[in-house]
Amino acid sequence: MNLVIVGSVAFDTIQTPWGKRERIVGGSGTYCSLAASFFTRPKLVGVVGEDFPPAVIRLFKARGIDTEGLEIRPGKTFHWEGRYGYDPNQRETVRTDVNVYEGYRPELPESYRAAEIVFLANIDPDLQEGILAQVRRPKLVAMDTMNHWIRSKLKSIRRVLKKVDILFANDEEIRMLTDETNLIRAGKKILASGPRLVVTKKGEHGALLFSRRFVFGVLANPCEDVVDPTGAGDSFAGGFLGYLDKKKSFSPLDIRRAAVYGSVLASFAIEDFGIGRFKKLRPREIEARFRRFRRLVSF
Ligand code: AMP
């Protein structure tokens, strides 16, 4: 198939109780396309400034990521700063500098318009909508968002929600979107507003998938050393959609397997700061962890 990923390509400044890193490469589009690249050849849409390291663009290409839709513009790359406490599920945004994303209105390259799977990763929902309008006949559209956009652009998010098949969101975001504290009730509300599947990410507790026909739970890998939780959600989505793109199937069984691959890819992302772990990750490690997940829930 053909997977197009729209998201942020960014510099992140990250503080955790175990250390701080300044301006390392991150972004929702970055994590998601790197994770997906272990299954397929995703096409990335985004913009970076002239300060973005060419070596990372070479890394994208070496991993089979199509970067024709990644613009380089005069100015500074998107910058996000976040802080985590001892609970890796709790994070605080210290600052967001949208920089080159200000006024960015991408024109999709012709080869991207025939996409069959589109992932609207965490980015301004108006941009998500504009890009989706340029794709001809996608078979599957998924989206993610973040508290920042839920607070500032709720109306736009509701419009995009009507046009997507899958929503990926963490439990806090699902609650904010629906004003429901109970996740099951919140999931049902989302299903009534557009998507056919809601993937609720619960950080170190895994994820819960809701559709009208089934509920499926997937664990997170039991991990002793969470170095940097940034990008776990985007890597989950990248593993999930990359696997579906490779299998060319949206059967309920493949959706479940995709969720396990999503959790596997997320579990690698958090083992190092930024995209460090993905630089050395090998396909056989992914398969070994997939088998470990199977043993975890077999009884
Ligand atoms: P995750 O940990 O998977 O939820 O995503 C973290 C990534 O989202 C970081 O690498 C940030 O660069 C990126 N990010 C943070 N805030 C925003 C935002 N407002 N819009 C787009 N991307 C963002």
Side-chain angles (χ1 to χ4, degrees):
M1 278 201 247
N2 204 335
L3 168 64
V4 164
I5 295 167
V6 184
S8 52
V9 180
F11 284 133
D12 291 344
T13 295
I14 292 157
Q15 273 184 69
T16 77
W18 301 277
K20 179 169 182 177
R21 294 288 184 280
E22 301 225 8
R23 301 176 66 76
I24 56 173
V25 170
S28 56
T30 302
Y31 281 107
C32 183
S33 39
L34 282 172
S37 74
F38 289 92
F39 303 93
T40 188
R41 299 171 76 85
K43 298 178 184 322
L44 176 60
V45 183
V47 61
V48 291
E50 282 163 336
D51 53 356
F52 195 75
V56 176
I57 297 181
R58 285 198 296 275
L59 167 74
F60 290 160
K61 289 183 178 157
R63 288 237 35 89
I65 299 169
D66 184 338
T67 58
E68 197 190 338
L70 180 65
E71 268 182 57
I72 303 172
R73 277 198 172 179
K76 284 189 182 167
T77 297
F78 182 104
H79 175 237
W80 173 76
E81 184 169 347
R83 191 187 295 139
Y84 298 85
Y86 283 96
D87 175 354
N89 295 344
Q90 296 293 324
R91 86 164 158 217
E92 182 198 341
T93 291
V94 179
R95 63 185 287 175
T96 305
D97 306 307
V98 292
N99 296 336
V100 285
Y101 273 90
E102 180 83 57
Y104 165 64
R105 290 285 169 266
E107 273 282 301
L108 280 197
E110 188 48 39
S111 63
Y112 284 42
R113 293 177 189 241
E116 287 171 295
I117 304 184
V118 181
F119 182 50
L120 307 167
N122 174 29
I123 195 85
D124 184 331
D126 292 327
L127 267 185
Q128 292 179 320
E129 196 178 20
I131 285 163
L132 188 55
Q134 298 176 47
V135 183
R136 284 190 206 104
R137 259 189 306 277
K139 291 189 175 139
L140 186 86
V141 182
M143 74 177 282
D144 194 351
T145 190
M146 190 178 185
N147 49 13
H148 174 83
W149 303 115
I150 302 176
R151 270 188 224 110
S152 58
K153 293 205 167 182
L154 186 57
K155 269 195 185 153
S156 306
I157 293 181
R158 290 207 195 292
R159 264 202 323 272
V160 185
L161 263 178
K162 287 203 180 98
K163 300 177 188 173
V164 307
D165 302 291
I166 304 180
L167 170 70
F168 289 92
N170 66 30
D171 36 8
E172 180 209 358
E173 293 153 0
I174 298 256
R175 290 188 176 113
M176 279 176 81
L177 276 170
T178 58
D179 274 330
E180 280 287 353
T181 46
N182 180 285
L183 274 187
I184 314 293
R185 242 183 267 153
K188 282 190 175 164
K189 265 198 178 174
I190 301 269
L191 287 178
S193 72
R196 295 185 275 142
L197 184 72
V198 183
V199 180
T200 310
K201 298 170 289 180
K202 294 155 64 64
E204 61 181 339
H205 307 300
L208 209 51
L209 278 65
F210 297 97
S211 80
R212 285 189 192 87
R213 287 189 296 156
F214 69 89
V215 179
F216 177 64
V218 54
L219 291 177
N221 183 49
C223 173
E224 271 186 55
D225 299 303
V226 178
V227 175
D228 171 14
T230 312
D234 308 310
S235 305
F236 185 105
F240 183 99
L241 296 169
Y243 174 76
L244 291 181
D245 195 48
K246 174 181 162 186
K247 288 293 288 189
K248 306 189 191 332
S249 153
F250 307 130
S251 73
L253 179 62
D254 278 319
I255 299 254
R256 285 163 209 249
R257 287 199 176 132
V260 176
Y261 275 113
S263 199
V264 166
L265 268 292
S267 75
F268 284 115
I270 64 177
E271 288 179 351
D272 199 351
F273 276 101
I275 57 172
R277 186 65 178 90
F278 283 157
K279 288 187 184 163
K280 36 183 208 264
L281 183 60
R282 296 285 164 261
R284 65 179 140 74
E285 294 177 285
I286 295 175
E287 289 312 315
R289 199 163 286 183
F290 183 85
R291 290 194 295 275
R292 183 172 186 220
F293 266 72
R294 188 163 265 157
R295 287 195 299 275
L296 262 177
V297 291
S298 133
F299 57 88

